[in-house]
Amino acid sequence: MRIIKDEPPLQTKALRLTRKWYKTLINTYDVVCICFYCEWYPGNGRGNYREQYDKAANIIANLYPRERHQKGKAIMVKVNCSDEKVLAKMFNIGYYPFYQIIKNGELMETKYPKWRSTEYFLQLIEEFIEDKKSRLPEPDRSILPFGIYTEKLTLENYKKFVREREIVMIFFYASWYESCREALQLYEKANGEICNLYRPKYYTANSIQTVAMARMEAGRNAAVIKKFRIKQYPTFKLFNNGSMHGEYKWDGKHEGFVNVLRELKEKNQIEQEKREKI
């Protein structure tokens, strides 16, 4: 990696990437580093990673300036998932911050980095440019990822959502009920882990996660209450291969959501292996 003796002043920050010019950008640069973040996430200030990322983006821009009408070598950009929900969904973001590398238009397999220093980002970009790296370091398992907002379903779209996925858990809640608001925080936290466990290996705009968590407003909605026989809040229903599997009796911990989904997934895999042997 090149050593910069006189570091250029921080004049610009990492550019904000939007859906409108996403395809143009990845075709304009050999290596694109994307930082997905969310303003409301409480860990945004931890380690000043955004400041370090902006600083690294400025250095990379100085190291690899793009000539007019020529393809650039590298660029670092960022996506605010609160505003760019389509991009966040396309990459199936499960926690923040999340880093993704795209090289020559192809998505690299990456993991959540433990370190977020400027030097880390610079080394990362250099290694991708020089074809020395295919993945980021393994995540720090001591830090539980915080979930993104789960998909909010309605009576009109829930059937399609369930049919397209192998296993789905739906959280039926009443927004005015205090217990539901508390449960939702843990539900979102579990969703981050599920996204991490069952994230598609290769992403496309049509990628679908096989195991997913969603939510549906049931409070004062007579049609939802009647259809799903909601008797109390919160209520959690499991769907397996497009059909109702049963109701999950929550134990009050976010690990409970993760465990029941993993067990059901493992059970499906065992049954699938038995069918293949016949």
Side-chain angles (χ1 to χ4, degrees):
M1 186 179 78
R2 301 185 204 180
I3 304 298
I4 304 174
K5 294 182 179 179
D6 298 319
E7 185 180 294
L10 184 60
Q11 299 172 344
T12 61
K13 296 181 178 180
L15 296 175
R16 288 279 295 274
L17 177 62
T18 64
R19 181 191 178 193
K20 184 177 180 181
W21 59 285
Y22 163 73
K23 288 186 178 179
T24 302
L25 185 81
I26 63 174
N27 291 323
T28 305
Y29 289 87
D30 292 332
V31 177
V32 178
C33 180
I34 307 175
C35 171
F36 293 89
Y37 70 98
C38 202
E39 295 290 354
W40 53 261
Y41 175 49
N44 272 334
R46 189 184 302 156
N48 294 320
Y49 78 90
R50 284 169 62 183
E51 180 182 331
Q52 298 296 321
Y53 188 84
D54 285 338
K55 193 174 180 181
N58 187 55
I59 295 173
I60 290 296
N62 280 275
L63 277 175
Y64 303 107
R66 188 174 77 87
E67 299 295 333
R68 187 177 177 85
H69 303 306
Q70 291 186 12
K71 196 171 184 181
K73 271 202 170 185
I75 190 173
M76 297 175 68
V77 296
K78 56 188 177 183
V79 173
N80 184 351
C81 295
S82 297
D83 299 331
E84 298 296 329
K85 294 181 180 179
V86 173
L87 276 179
K89 188 174 182 180
M90 186 173 82
F91 284 89
N92 206 13
I93 304 305
Y95 46 81
Y96 306 111
F98 186 84
Y99 303 95
Q100 198 69 70
I101 301 289
I102 299 175
K103 184 171 182 180
N104 296 323
E106 181 182 350
L107 203 62
M108 300 289 101
E109 184 179 357
T110 56
K111 295 290 183 182
Y112 180 75
K114 179 178 179 180
W115 303 279
R116 308 188 188 108
S117 65
T118 299
E119 292 73 20
Y120 172 86
F121 290 120
L122 293 176
Q123 182 179 354
L124 176 70
I125 297 299
E126 291 279 356
E127 289 178 345
F128 270 106
I129 290 174
E130 298 170 7
D131 288 325
K132 291 182 179 179
K133 204 171 190 67
S134 62
R135 63 167 64 214
L136 295 173
E138 285 296 317
D140 181 4
R141 298 300 179 184
S142 66
I143 303 175
L144 276 175
F146 192 86
I148 60 170
Y149 282 126
T150 46
E151 188 82 18
K152 188 174 182 180
L153 304 179
T154 65
L155 284 177
E156 289 71 33
N157 66 9
Y158 92 90
K159 287 184 179 180
K160 181 176 185 294
F161 186 88
V162 169
R163 280 198 304 264
E164 291 177 341
R165 292 157 179 82
E166 181 184 347
I167 300 170
V168 175
M169 176 182 284
I170 301 181
F171 172 21
F172 294 90
Y173 65 98
S175 56
W176 44 264
Y177 194 41
E178 183 63 31
S179 295
C180 289
R181 290 199 291 269
E182 294 173 359
L184 182 59
Q185 295 180 11
L186 298 176
Y187 192 74
E188 295 286 357
K189 191 173 184 178
N191 180 56
E193 294 190 43
I194 290 298
C195 286
N196 199 20
L197 284 170
Y198 300 106
R199 187 184 305 278
K201 186 175 182 180
Y202 300 105
Y203 307 101
T204 67
N206 298 318
S207 292
I208 293 177
Q209 196 167 291
T210 58
V211 181
M213 299 173 71
R215 57 195 168 97
M216 186 183 296
E217 172 74 60
R220 301 192 181 96
N221 190 329
V224 173
I225 293 171
K226 182 178 180 180
K227 182 172 184 62
F228 296 100
R229 299 179 181 179
I230 306 301
K231 297 180 180 179
Q232 62 181 14
Y233 302 116
T235 293
F236 305 92
K237 300 279 187 179
L238 284 167
F239 295 80
N240 189 17
N241 294 314
S243 302
M244 176 77 77
H245 180 72
E247 184 174 323
Y248 168 58
K249 301 297 182 181
W250 185 41
D251 59 3
K253 299 178 181 178
H254 89 275
E255 292 90 346
F257 298 123
V258 178
N259 292 337
V260 71
L261 291 170
R262 290 181 67 175
E263 288 169 5
L264 187 53
K265 177 66 175 177
E266 290 170 1
K267 182 179 178 181
N268 285 353
Q269 289 175 341
I270 293 172
E271 291 178 354
Q272 178 66 25
E273 290 172 0
K274 288 181 179 178
R275 287 194 294 268
E276 290 175 353
K277 289 180 181 179
I278 297 176

